Amino acid sequence: MSDTTDNEDEVSSFWESYNTILPRWLILVIAGLGLAGMIPILSRVKRTRGKDMKAHIAFGCIAVFMLSPLVPEQFQDMVFSDVGVLVVGTLLPVYESVVAVCTFGEDDDNEWLTYWIVNGFFTYSTEFMDTIADHSTFVANHWYELEFFITLWLLLPWTDGSTVVYDNILVPFVLPVLHQFQPYLQSGSKVQMLVMALVNSSYLGLVWTVFVMMPKEIRRFAVIGVGTVYPILSSVVALATKTSSTTNKKKNSIDEHAVTYWLTYWSCFSILFVLMDYLETFVGRIPGFYSLIMAATVYLFLPMFQGADVVFRKVLVPITGQYEQMLLRDTLLLKQQMEYNIPNPTLLSNIKTKAAAMFLMENNKKSE
């Protein structure tokens, strides 16, 4: 009996020493290198639309291994945390979304809008998990593990879980219903006009008073609802319309603008959501906190403000080093707009030649 107890103590002592053998700085370096290595993977590896079953099986095996005792507990605690989910589910996708908007291709715009649609739905539908975690030790201990792997499954190009959900759930079941409400979900729709009317009218005071009187949890849920539900539905319609219209160039341009509009919005709103999530611990009880977040959400949301475009261009683009690329894309869009507005090929050719000469002339003047 004593031999068995001694063996158990030795095994326990081994795992305790194993879990503390790696210094914290080394764990940070390993995690940082792993996350940095994901950037070229996300931008260069072709997405599979979730059709490679071997990738899903391999992903499941890797997930089981990472949760096993073979991986140091310190590493697990760091990766399977709110910070790990933040980096994988928000920061990396925001960076890739900014790159997608600032580059010429359209496929990456569609791919990342698909991710934000599914991620937004997942985030909003699991808002209640924090409340459950407060009453369940099991959920509190394992929720971040589940959230991390679901987010990673949605994100990685080999599994491409966001496309799996979009193709197999949203397209067959949700999209047919949304098409009936398409006029209400497009830019400049009646819903947006109604919100703008409330913002510009005396009803704003009444709406704000009702909002402030709500309990804190309801106010938080309302902010997230305003920032996710309508944008998710509009993004689905924009993406579906974009992928289905390939013949009419002018209509295709409008649809591409809608995709870019909502991709820009999600990049900005996700950062706002993270700020709210972290700041509410310290200042969430201060009157007006959620009102300020709601106002910021509406500012990003409504076309009358173009808030998402302003934040995107003034903040996100410079931070990610995509300013020059953004200007090149703006130039390309201007060229496409000229082609749409000038149907005469001869006149269009002459204007292009003169425009190019004007650019070169300005260049020569500056060089002199």
Side-chain angles (χ1 to χ4, degrees), residues 4 28 93 114 124 139 147 151 239 264 272 278 280 307 312 340:
T4 304
L28 284 170
T114 303
Y124 189 63
V139 174
E147 187 177 14
T151 303
L239 188 59
T264 301
L272 177 65
Y278 280 85
E280 65 184 352
F312 185 85
Y340 297 146

Side-chain angles (χ1 to χ4, degrees), residues 111-250:
E111 290 166 357
W112 286 109
L113 185 58
T114 303
Y115 168 80
W116 286 116
I117 290 170
V118 178
N119 179 266
F121 178 78
F122 173 69
T123 300
Y124 189 63
S125 61
T126 56
E127 263 299 300
F128 59 88
M129 292 304 299
D130 288 337
T131 304
I132 295 178
D134 291 338
H135 300 86
S136 171
T137 305
F138 179 82
V139 174
N141 291 336
H142 299 287
W143 168 242
Y144 281 128
E145 297 170 359
L146 178 63
E147 187 177 14
F148 179 88
F149 283 117
I150 289 177
T151 303
L152 199 60
W153 179 74
L154 296 175
L155 185 70
L156 289 177
W158 298 290
T159 52
D160 201 4
S162 56
T163 305
V164 173
V165 175
Y166 181 82
D167 286 344
N168 295 285
I169 297 178
L170 295 179
V171 171
F173 299 109
V174 178
L175 194 58
V177 178
L178 292 184
H179 274 312
Q180 302 176 24
F181 301 94
Q182 186 170 345
Y184 300 95
L185 297 172
Q186 292 175 323
S187 180
S189 66
K190 293 180 180 179
V191 173
Q192 290 186 345
M193 296 297 291
L194 175 62
V195 177
M196 285 190 284
L198 290 174
V199 170
N200 287 319
S201 70
S202 57
Y203 290 106
L204 180 60
L206 176 61
V207 172
W208 180 80
T209 303
V210 172
F211 178 76
V212 170
M213 292 175 64
M214 293 177 178
K216 174 186 172 183
E217 293 76 13
I218 302 298
R219 276 179 284 159
R220 173 188 167 85
F221 198 70
V223 169
I224 300 173
V226 170
T228 57
V229 175
Y230 181 82
I232 286 174
L233 301 179
S234 297
S235 298
V236 170
V237 170
L239 188 59
T241 308
K242 172 69 180 67
T243 53
S244 64
S245 66
T246 55
T247 55
N248 189 323
K249 286 187 176 181
K250 191 159 188 175

